[in-house]
C-alpha cells in the first residue's frame, strides 16, 4: 500500500508568501501522487500559528479550492516549535508519514522525493540537512555553526545544520507523543526517540517573500531553550568548577598556615584566611551537590519514556 503523506507547514503572518508557495507544495504533492510514491489521500496541512494578518483566510480559501489542502489554527501565537508540534500531533493519526517544512520556500521541496525514497527504504526519520550556508550572511553562518558546536559540547544530540525540515513516520510520532515535556526543541528531541534514521542534503535559498520571524534575540532564545531543555551539562560544569575552586581554597588554607609558621603574617590574618577559604570551598561544593539534585529533578519531571521498543520477533511470524 502507498503511504499517506502529510506535509506539515507552520505559518505565522505569511499572507505575502503563502499564495506563492502553496501552489509549489501542491505541485510537489500531486507529482509524487502521480509517480505512485504516495497515496492520493496525502495532504498539505497548514498550521496557522495565531497569525494577525490574512493567513487563516488564505488557508481556508485554499482548503475550499482543493481537497489536498487542509489547515488547523492555533488559538494564539505559540512559536514555531509548538506550531510544528501541533501539526505533527494532528496529522499522526491520519497518515503514515509527515514532512515538516517552513512555508517561505527557503527549503528545497525537491528533497521530499529523496526523503520519501529513504522512508520506503526503511528509514523512520529522515533529516533534511543544508549543504552549505552560502545564502546566509557571514554573521548568521558563524552564529548558527557555533550554535551546533555548542549543542554538541553540551551533550545535545542534534544533527549538524539540520533545522526543522524532516520526514517522520507516524510510528515515531506515536512514540514521540510520550515525551510530555513543554519546553520543546524538536531537532534535539527526535534523535532521542531512536529508530532507523538518515539525512538527505539540500540547498537552502532566500525567503521568497515576507520577512524572517527569527531576529537575533529570538535565535539566541531558541539556542538557550535547546541547551537547557535537553542537557544538564551546565550543572555538571558548575559542580566541576565548584570542586576546582574548593581545591584551590584548601590550598589557600595550607598556604596561610605556612605563612603564619614562618612568622610573616599579621596576627589574626591566618585564622581569617583559613575560615574564608574553608567556608568558600564548602559552600561551592554544597552548591554543586544541590545543582546535581536539581538536575535530577528536572529530568524526572519531564517524564520521558524510559525505553522504546522498535522490533519484536513475535511480529515477524
Ligand atoms: N513561524 C511560526 N510561528 C512563529 C514564527 C514563525 O509558525 O511564531 C513559522 C513561519 O511562518 C515559517 C517558519 O516558522 O514558516 C520559520 O520562520 P522564519 O522563516 O521566519 O524563520 P527563519 O527561516 O528566518 O529562521
Ligand atoms: Mg525562513
Amino acid at each position: 500500500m502507498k503511504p499517506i503523506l502529510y506535509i506539515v507547514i507552520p505559518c505565522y503572518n505569511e499572507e505575502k508568501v503563502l499564495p506563492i508557495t502553496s501552489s509549489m507544495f501542491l505541485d510537489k504533492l500531486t507529482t509524487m501522487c502521480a509517480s505512485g510514491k504516495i497515496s492520493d489521500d496525502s495532504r498539505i496541512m497548514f498550521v496557522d500559528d495565531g497569525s494577525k494578518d490574512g493567513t487563516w483566510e488564505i488557508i481556508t480559501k485554499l482548503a475550499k479550492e482543493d481537497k489536498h489542502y487542509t489547515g488547523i489554527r492555533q488559538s494564539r501565537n505559540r512559536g514555531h516549535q509548538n506550531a510544528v508540534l501541533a501539526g505533527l500531533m494532528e496529522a499522526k493519526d491520519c497518515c503514515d508519514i509527515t514532512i515538516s517544512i517552513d512555508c517561505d520556500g527557503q527549503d528545497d521541496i525537491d528533497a521530499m522525493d529523496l526523503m520519501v525514497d529513504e522512508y520506503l527504504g526503511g528509514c523512520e526519520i529522515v533529516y533534511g540537512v543544508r549543504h552549505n550556508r552560502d545564502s546566509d550572511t557571514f554573521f548568521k553562518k558563524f552564529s548558527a555553526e557555533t550554535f551546533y558546536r555548542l549543542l554538541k559540547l553540551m551533550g545535545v544530540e542534534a544533527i549538524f545544520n539540520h533545522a526543522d525540515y524532516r520526514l517522520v513516520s507516524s510510528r515515531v510520532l506515536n512514540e514521540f507523543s510520550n515525551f510530555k515535556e513543554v519546553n520543546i526543541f524538536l531537532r534535539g528531541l527526535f534523535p532521542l526517540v531512536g529508530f532507523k534514521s538518515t539525512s538527505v542534503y539540500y540547498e537552502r535559498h532566500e525567503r521568497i517573500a515576507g520577512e524572517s520571524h527569527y531576529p537575533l534575540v529570538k535565535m539566541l532564545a531558541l539556542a538557550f531553550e535547546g541547551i537547557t531543555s535537553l542537557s544538564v551539562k551546565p550543572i555538571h560544569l558548575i559542580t566541576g568548577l565548584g570542586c576546582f575552586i574548593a581545591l584551590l581554597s584548601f590550598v589557600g588554607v595550607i598556604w596561610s598556615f605556612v605563612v603564619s609558621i614562618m612568622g610573616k603574617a599579621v596576627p589574626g590574618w591566618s585564622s581569617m584566611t583559613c575560615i574564608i577559604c574553608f567556608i568558600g570551598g564548602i559552600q561551592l561544593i554544597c552548591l554543586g551537590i544541590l545543582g546535581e539534585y536539581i538536575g535530577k529533578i528536572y529530568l524526572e519531571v519531564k517524564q520521558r519514556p524510559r525505553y522504546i521498543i522498535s522490533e519484536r520477533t513475535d511480529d515477524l511470524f
Side-chain angles (χ1 to χ4, degrees):
M1 262 230 315
K2 292 178 206 163
I4 301 175
L5 166 69
Y6 266 53
I7 303 176
V8 173
I9 308 170
C11 313
Y12 179 56
N13 292 345
E14 299 283 12
E15 63 181 10
K16 284 204 189 111
V17 80
L18 214 48
I20 309 168
T21 51
S22 55
S23 54
M24 289 165 50
F25 289 121
L26 184 62
D27 286 348
K28 183 87 245 168
L29 194 84
T30 40
T31 33
M32 279 201 283
C33 290
S35 70
K37 261 188 201 169
I38 56 170
S39 153
D40 193 47
D41 293 329
S42 299
R43 295 284 179 270
I44 296 160
M45 177 183 269
F46 295 108
V47 183
D48 178 12
D49 187 19
S51 299
K52 293 175 184 72
D53 64 358
T55 301
W56 180 245
E57 285 66 36
I58 297 173
I59 295 172
T60 41
K61 192 166 155 276
L62 289 170
K64 265 184 216 148
E65 281 168 13
D66 193 306
K67 68 164 185 163
H68 292 102
Y69 290 119
T70 166
I72 55 171
R73 188 186 200 184
Q74 294 223 82
S75 59
R76 53 157 292 166
N77 178 246
R78 289 179 202 277
H80 173 235
Q81 297 289 293
N82 291 72
V84 175
L85 179 74
L88 294 178
M89 289 300 116
E90 184 80 7
K92 77 175 173 28
D93 299 325
C94 322
C95 65
D96 303 300
I97 34 175
T98 60
I99 294 180
S100 53
I101 185 168
D102 293 350
C103 73
D104 53 12
Q106 283 193 274
D107 301 315
D108 180 11
I109 54 172
D110 290 332
M112 286 188 193
D113 294 286
L114 296 174
M115 288 182 171
V116 173
D117 288 345
E118 292 289 357
Y119 168 77
L120 295 172
C123 286
E124 303 275 346
I125 306 178
V126 186
Y127 300 101
V129 176
R130 303 174 61 156
H131 252 315
N132 56 50
R133 289 188 166 264
D134 293 348
S135 61
D136 281 351
T137 58
F138 171 77
F139 179 71
K140 175 112 190 181
K141 184 175 170 177
F142 174 75
S143 56
E145 291 188 346
T146 310
F147 168 54
Y148 285 106
R149 290 204 179 92
L150 190 67
L151 278 180
K152 197 165 175 214
L153 204 71
M154 287 293 154
V156 178
E157 218 186 299
I159 310 282
F160 196 74
N161 271 343
H162 158 71
D164 281 296
Y165 184 20
R166 77 178 81 76
L167 177 146
V168 183
S169 70
S170 56
R171 183 178 182 205
V172 168
L173 288 173
N174 279 323
E175 298 295 349
F176 180 69
S177 62
N178 293 323
F179 286 64
K180 300 286 182 204
E181 53 212 87
V182 285
N183 298 301
I184 47 165
F185 183 65
L186 296 172
R187 67 192 86 164
L189 279 172
F190 278 110
L192 294 182
V193 185
F195 293 97
K196 192 172 174 204
S197 64
T198 187
S199 300
V200 299
Y201 295 84
Y202 71 96
E203 299 259 333
R204 188 157 150 119
H205 314 291
E206 301 277 340
R207 218 174 209 280
I208 289 184
E211 274 162 24
S212 168
H213 302 89
Y214 274 90
L216 182 64
V217 181
K218 261 185 148 182
M219 257 171 49
L220 287 176
L222 182 70
F224 189 72
E225 177 81 8
I227 293 168
T228 54
S229 70
L230 286 158
S231 168
V232 287
K233 224 171 183 174
I235 295 180
H236 295 326
L237 289 179
I238 292 173
T239 314
L241 191 72
C243 289
F244 177 68
I245 292 177
L247 202 74
L248 272 187
S249 63
F250 291 128
V251 172
V253 170
I254 297 166
W255 170 62
S256 68
F257 260 125
V258 172
V259 173
S260 141
I261 288 165
M262 287 164 71
K264 287 185 182 164
V266 183
W269 177 84
S270 308
S271 52
M272 280 296 274
T273 312
C274 280
I275 291 168
I276 293 170
C277 288
F278 183 72
I279 298 290
I282 294 289
Q283 273 180 337
L284 279 169
I285 291 181
C286 291
L287 248 163
I289 294 174
L290 275 179
E292 292 293 328
Y293 277 102
I294 292 174
K296 295 265 180 308
I297 295 170
Y298 174 71
L299 292 177
E300 289 291 338
V301 292
K302 284 182 183 285
Q303 299 207 337
R304 283 183 187 155
R306 282 165 295 177
Y307 59 87
I308 295 170
I309 293 164
S310 68
E311 252 117 4
R312 284 191 176 82
T313 54
D314 283 359
D315 298 338
L316 298 174
F317 312 110

